[in-house]
Amino acid sequence: MKYDEERCRLHTTQEQPLLEDDPQEVITVKQGEDVTLQCWGFADAPIELLEWSRPELTDYVFYYREQRSYEKYQHQSYKGRVKLRDPEMKNGDVSVILNDVTFNDTGRYECLVGTRRTRDKRSSISVRVEQTTKDASGGGNTERENRDVGGNMEREKWRVGQIAAIVITVIVATTLILLIGAVVAELGQQVPY
């Protein structure tokens, strides 16, 4: 049976060189770019199953079976962001395009290709997403970049709110202690002996 050599590679839409034959390679991309996770199955056997996954997720990055993709099996963060590069998967091309890459897309991706006539093929690649440069106004990172790079902007706002609440509580408590001390001292001076 003739088939393409098992390979999985990644490239951006900005024509970066493709890396082959080293699934342990770490590919660096910038957030906001579209990225092609490239993987090849068998050239002369119909693809029955395609799973793109990440080891730390229970849901799939992309799931294809019975001649169609199933978004309901995708992890929430990948819904609407992943599609087949070639919907017909000609020559065993099971590459997917991941749109609008974020910092949270950093990690290892695994590709599993299954057919009825052959053994399943597996390959993997690691992806690292870099923070993008300054926004168009030159005024620093955009809110979206801060959210992606910082993990979650809302969480940061919550932390600031917690710190502010603690500081206010300490100030109020100190003020009360000083007032109580002043009242007790005043009462101590007014008591006749």
Side-chain angles (χ1 to χ4, degrees), residues 123-134:
S123 57
S124 68
I125 192 165
S126 293
V127 176
R128 187 180 74 178
V129 180
E130 287 184 334
Q131 179 179 356
T132 58
T133 56
K134 306 295 180 194

PDB file of all heavy atoms in Angstrom, residues 123-134:
ATOM      1  N   SER A 123       0.723  11.423  15.100  1.00  0.00           N
ATOM      2  CA  SER A 123       1.848  12.348  15.084  1.00  0.00           C
ATOM      3  C   SER A 123       1.528  13.509  16.012  1.00  0.00           C
ATOM      4  O   SER A 123       0.386  13.685  16.430  1.00  0.00           O
ATOM      5  CB  SER A 123       2.146  12.824  13.660  1.00  0.00           C
ATOM      6  OG  SER A 123       1.015  13.410  13.091  1.00  0.00           O
ATOM      7  N   SER A 124       2.545  14.273  16.350  1.00  0.00           N
ATOM      8  CA  SER A 124       2.318  15.394  17.269  1.00  0.00           C
ATOM      9  C   SER A 124       3.292  16.523  16.986  1.00  0.00           C
ATOM     10  O   SER A 124       4.300  16.349  16.312  1.00  0.00           O
ATOM     11  CB  SER A 124       2.460  14.937  18.726  1.00  0.00           C
ATOM     12  OG  SER A 124       3.794  14.592  18.999  1.00  0.00           O
ATOM     13  N   ILE A 125       2.957  17.675  17.530  1.00  0.00           N
ATOM     14  CA  ILE A 125       3.798  18.860  17.412  1.00  0.00           C
ATOM     15  C   ILE A 125       3.518  19.758  18.611  1.00  0.00           C
ATOM     16  O   ILE A 125       2.415  19.751  19.146  1.00  0.00           O
ATOM     17  CB  ILE A 125       3.527  19.602  16.079  1.00  0.00           C
ATOM     18  CG1 ILE A 125       4.597  20.651  15.829  1.00  0.00           C
ATOM     19  CG2 ILE A 125       2.139  20.218  16.063  1.00  0.00           C
ATOM     20  CD1 ILE A 125       4.624  21.163  14.410  1.00  0.00           C
ATOM     21  N   SER A 126       4.519  20.498  19.034  1.00  0.00           N
ATOM     22  CA  SER A 126       4.334  21.463  20.123  1.00  0.00           C
ATOM     23  C   SER A 126       4.311  22.868  19.560  1.00  0.00           C
ATOM     24  O   SER A 126       5.067  23.192  18.645  1.00  0.00           O
ATOM     25  CB  SER A 126       5.454  21.337  21.156  1.00  0.00           C
ATOM     26  OG  SER A 126       5.360  20.100  21.811  1.00  0.00           O
ATOM     27  N   VAL A 127       3.444  23.691  20.115  1.00  0.00           N
ATOM     28  CA  VAL A 127       3.258  25.057  19.644  1.00  0.00           C
ATOM     29  C   VAL A 127       3.463  26.010  20.807  1.00  0.00           C
ATOM     30  O   VAL A 127       2.967  25.771  21.909  1.00  0.00           O
ATOM     31  CB  VAL A 127       1.828  25.255  19.073  1.00  0.00           C
ATOM     32  CG1 VAL A 127       1.601  26.698  18.661  1.00  0.00           C
ATOM     33  CG2 VAL A 127       1.589  24.307  17.919  1.00  0.00           C
ATOM     34  N   ARG A 128       4.217  27.068  20.560  1.00  0.00           N
ATOM     35  CA  ARG A 128       4.381  28.123  21.556  1.00  0.00           C
ATOM     36  C   ARG A 128       3.903  29.429  20.934  1.00  0.00           C
ATOM     37  O   ARG A 128       4.296  29.761  19.819  1.00  0.00           O
ATOM     38  CB  ARG A 128       5.852  28.259  21.971  1.00  0.00           C
ATOM     39  CG  ARG A 128       6.020  29.230  23.140  1.00  0.00           C
ATOM     40  CD  ARG A 128       7.443  29.357  23.534  1.00  0.00           C
ATOM     41  NE  ARG A 128       8.086  30.168  22.506  1.00  0.00           N
ATOM     42  CZ  ARG A 128       9.356  30.519  22.532  1.00  0.00           C
ATOM     43  NH1 ARG A 128      10.136  30.116  23.485  1.00  0.00           N
ATOM     44  NH2 ARG A 128       9.860  31.262  21.576  1.00  0.00           N
ATOM     45  N   VAL A 129       3.066  30.134  21.647  1.00  0.00           N
ATOM     46  CA  VAL A 129       2.494  31.383  21.139  1.00  0.00           C
ATOM     47  C   VAL A 129       3.161  32.547  21.858  1.00  0.00           C
ATOM     48  O   VAL A 129       3.185  32.597  23.087  1.00  0.00           O
ATOM     49  CB  VAL A 129       0.963  31.417  21.339  1.00  0.00           C
ATOM     50  CG1 VAL A 129       0.381  32.720  20.809  1.00  0.00           C
ATOM     51  CG2 VAL A 129       0.311  30.217  20.661  1.00  0.00           C
ATOM     52  N   GLU A 130       3.713  33.460  21.076  1.00  0.00           N
ATOM     53  CA  GLU A 130       4.367  34.641  21.635  1.00  0.00           C
ATOM     54  C   GLU A 130       3.389  35.795  21.748  1.00  0.00           C
ATOM     55  O   GLU A 130       2.440  35.893  20.971  1.00  0.00           O
ATOM     56  CB  GLU A 130       5.512  35.099  20.728  1.00  0.00           C
ATOM     57  CG  GLU A 130       6.713  34.221  20.762  1.00  0.00           C
ATOM     58  CD  GLU A 130       7.836  34.814  19.916  1.00  0.00           C
ATOM     59  OE1 GLU A 130       7.567  35.582  18.971  1.00  0.00           O
ATOM     60  OE2 GLU A 130       8.991  34.495  20.227  1.00  0.00           O
ATOM     61  N   GLN A 131       3.681  36.685  22.671  1.00  0.00           N
ATOM     62  CA  GLN A 131       2.906  37.911  22.810  1.00  0.00           C
ATOM     63  C   GLN A 131       3.162  38.766  21.584  1.00  0.00           C
ATOM     64  O   GLN A 131       4.265  38.835  21.075  1.00  0.00           O
ATOM     65  CB  GLN A 131       3.341  38.658  24.066  1.00  0.00           C
ATOM     66  CG  GLN A 131       2.615  39.951  24.294  1.00  0.00           C
ATOM     67  CD  GLN A 131       3.069  40.628  25.579  1.00  0.00           C
ATOM     68  OE1 GLN A 131       3.869  40.088  26.309  1.00  0.00           O
ATOM     69  NE2 GLN A 131       2.562  41.799  25.825  1.00  0.00           N
ATOM     70  N   THR A 132       2.127  39.429  21.089  1.00  0.00           N
ATOM     71  CA  THR A 132       2.303  40.288  19.923  1.00  0.00           C
ATOM     72  C   THR A 132       2.920  41.607  20.349  1.00  0.00           C
ATOM     73  O   THR A 132       3.012  41.936  21.526  1.00  0.00           O
ATOM     74  CB  THR A 132       0.958  40.553  19.212  1.00  0.00           C
ATOM     75  OG1 THR A 132       0.060  41.148  20.135  1.00  0.00           O
ATOM     76  CG2 THR A 132       0.379  39.285  18.651  1.00  0.00           C
ATOM     77  N   THR A 133       3.307  42.376  19.345  1.00  0.00           N
ATOM     78  CA  THR A 133       3.912  43.675  19.602  1.00  0.00           C
ATOM     79  C   THR A 133       2.839  44.675  19.983  1.00  0.00           C
ATOM     80  O   THR A 133       1.669  44.348  20.087  1.00  0.00           O
ATOM     81  CB  THR A 133       4.671  44.159  18.353  1.00  0.00           C
ATOM     82  OG1 THR A 133       3.765  44.177  17.257  1.00  0.00           O
ATOM     83  CG2 THR A 133       5.836  43.238  18.046  1.00  0.00           C
ATOM     84  N   LYS A 134       3.229  45.909  20.112  1.00  0.00           N
ATOM     85  CA  LYS A 134       2.323  46.975  20.545  1.00  0.00           C
ATOM     86  C   LYS A 134       1.153  47.138  19.592  1.00  0.00           C
ATOM     87  O   LYS A 134       1.231  46.785  18.434  1.00  0.00           O
ATOM     88  CB  LYS A 134       3.075  48.309  20.642  1.00  0.00           C
ATOM     89  CG  LYS A 134       4.308  48.256  21.512  1.00  0.00           C
ATOM     90  CD  LYS A 134       3.949  47.990  22.936  1.00  0.00           C
ATOM     91  CE  LYS A 134       5.209  47.953  23.784  1.00  0.00           C
ATOM     92  NZ  LYS A 134       5.021  47.405  25.067  1.00  0.00           N
TER      93      LYS A 134
END
